[in-house]
Amino acid sequence: MNLEFKPVEAQDMEVIAPYIGLRPNKSCDSVFLDSFIWRKYYHVRYAISDGRAVQWIMQDKGQLFSALPLCREEELEHYFYEMVDYFNNVLHSPFRIYLADEEGTEKLNLDSAKFRITEQEDLKDYLYDGDALRTLAGKKLHKKKNNINAFMREYEGRFEYRKLCCSDRDDVWKFLDKWREQKGEEVEEHLDYEVHGIHEILKNCSTLPVEMGGVYIDDKMEAFTIGSLNARENMAVIHIEKANPEIRGLYQYINREFLIHEFPQVSLVNREDDLGLEGLRKAKMSYNPIGFERKYLIEQIV
């Protein structure tokens, strides 16, 4: 079997891009940037198969796993079983997929005698109506609008939303250093990998399909966000959103302005998962999601 896996780098975007969006997929993993941000944490490697599919190998706590291939829907079954074969006969390991998207899992309709499928409840993505998040109209989002109004009143004449580009990376790095410092040592290990991933995006942003925005108060960055577009689904994926938590309404303000300025036409917004954290869950539910993109663990029964 001639699959040659290599680590994901920024320049690989050109190679992988033609395979993105070939089939329905509303997960945050449907865009290149998600794999890029977490490539060091999960040791992400990819291979092109037959010039028709992208295959993945990743690792977590010493355990190898894969993701559903990037390919056409009608070829999904073929390339799924190609990786089953690769794991079994090359890696000598049972096949395992983390975070299989809902659409792909349903399409495969796997034999329950051969594969165990378990929903990864805490890792489902939150989906929102794009217009609702840009306008914050209606009772359910009224509190968000109140917080934004409070922010705009308090900092009137002192704040500015800016579209960010590569040359703004020093501002982001300074902000991130302060944000990471405030988190202290007793935090999840993945935060340092997330910070590393953001640094890598900023170093390579001219070659990556990325949108970035920031809010400055008194000419100092106090919030920034990073997103990318899933064109097939007309969906923005919000990968990173960070703000000074001591400033009331700042999170709500950058959330809204980023979509207004960088994603004015998207009908759907994916704000990723809550990692099973109660605080994050409450924050994401408070934006009134219209649905979820559920994800699944697929394990070969041996």
Side-chain angles (χ1 to χ4, degrees):
M1 184 175 297
N2 192 25
L3 286 175
E4 294 181 14
F5 286 89
K6 66 181 288 293
V8 171
E9 303 295 345
Q11 60 268 25
D12 295 319
M13 174 59 207
E14 296 177 6
V15 180
I16 294 173
Y19 302 93
I20 292 169
L22 289 178
R23 64 176 181 83
N25 184 350
K26 292 184 181 70
S27 75
C28 63
D29 311 295
S30 64
V31 292
F32 178 78
L33 213 61
D34 208 66
S35 299
F36 184 77
I37 290 171
W38 297 104
R39 66 201 174 102
K40 297 289 187 189
Y41 187 73
Y42 290 115
H43 309 282
V44 180
R45 291 179 289 149
Y46 81 98
I48 304 296
S49 179
D50 307 330
R52 301 184 69 82
V54 175
Q55 298 284 22
W56 305 98
I57 290 181
M58 302 166 201
Q59 194 174 329
D60 186 29
K61 299 179 179 68
Q63 193 170 62
L64 291 172
F65 65 97
S66 188
L68 287 180
L70 300 180
C71 63
R72 296 189 184 282
E73 191 174 43
E74 60 270 22
E75 296 181 316
L76 182 61
E77 185 176 7
H78 171 78
Y79 288 108
F80 173 85
Y81 282 104
E82 177 182 68
M83 280 306 283
V84 174
D85 190 40
Y86 187 85
F87 265 62
N88 293 173
N89 297 314
V90 178
L91 302 178
H92 306 294
S93 168
F95 187 55
R96 185 183 296 106
I97 282 183
Y98 290 164
L99 305 178
D101 61 271
E102 194 168 348
E103 296 86 351
T105 304
E106 285 179 6
K107 178 69 179 171
L108 283 168
N109 193 24
L110 295 167
D111 182 346
S112 61
K114 294 179 179 176
F115 296 95
R116 186 183 306 110
I117 299 172
T118 313
E119 183 178 345
Q120 296 181 279
E121 177 67 30
D122 290 339
L123 301 176
K124 64 182 182 291
D125 290 344
Y126 288 70
L127 302 176
Y128 303 87
D129 178 85
D131 284 336
L133 293 196
R134 284 186 292 264
T135 63
L136 299 179
K139 276 186 184 175
K140 288 182 177 174
L141 296 171
H142 189 64
K143 194 174 175 185
K144 307 293 183 192
K145 199 174 257 187
N146 283 348
N147 283 335
I148 289 173
N149 290 338
F151 165 73
M152 293 173 77
R153 276 196 307 272
E154 183 164 351
Y155 294 94
E156 187 175 359
R158 297 169 54 196
F159 70 90
E160 179 188 10
Y161 171 86
R162 296 182 197 168
K163 179 182 177 73
L164 300 179
C165 56
C166 301
S167 59
D168 297 308
R169 61 177 172 256
D170 286 347
D171 290 351
V172 179
W173 286 340
K174 279 180 201 160
F175 173 88
L176 269 180
D177 285 346
K178 186 179 173 192
W179 174 85
R180 185 64 186 85
E181 208 174 276
Q182 286 172 333
K183 290 286 182 185
E185 293 307 311
E186 299 299 314
V187 293
E188 306 90 340
E189 173 202 7
H190 77 269
L191 279 184
D192 287 327
Y193 283 93
E194 183 185 59
V195 169
H196 175 79
I198 295 167
H199 276 246
E200 289 297 303
I201 288 171
L202 291 160
K203 285 179 195 168
N204 297 284
C205 66
S206 58
T207 60
L208 294 172
V210 59
E211 299 291 344
M212 301 185 292
V215 175
Y216 288 74
I217 299 174
D218 298 331
D219 212 33
K220 178 187 169 194
M221 182 181 285
E222 294 289 1
F224 85 99
T225 186
I226 294 174
S228 58
L229 178 69
N230 175 329
R232 181 184 179 119
E233 305 289 354
N234 192 25
M235 178 179 82
V237 180
I238 310 302
H239 302 282
I240 306 288
E241 186 181 80
K242 302 201 182 298
N244 184 336
E246 293 170 11
I247 299 174
R248 181 191 171 190
L250 182 54
Y251 265 109
Q252 291 85 0
Y253 180 74
I254 193 166
N255 181 328
R256 184 186 73 176
E257 294 301 299
F258 186 54
L259 292 172
I260 288 171
H261 291 278
E262 315 312 334
F263 297 104
Q265 305 298 334
V266 298
S267 55
L268 202 59
V269 179
N270 180 319
R271 292 186 56 80
E272 301 203 347
D273 55 43
D274 60 32
L275 297 168
L277 301 172
E278 189 57 35
L280 257 183
R281 180 173 293 146
K282 284 175 89 170
K284 288 180 188 287
M285 287 303 294
S286 73
Y287 272 99
N288 194 31
I290 57 169
F292 303 95
E293 172 71 4
R294 301 186 184 280
K295 300 181 193 175
Y296 299 88
L297 171 64
I298 299 176
E299 297 172 288
Q300 185 181 12
I301 297 170
V302 291

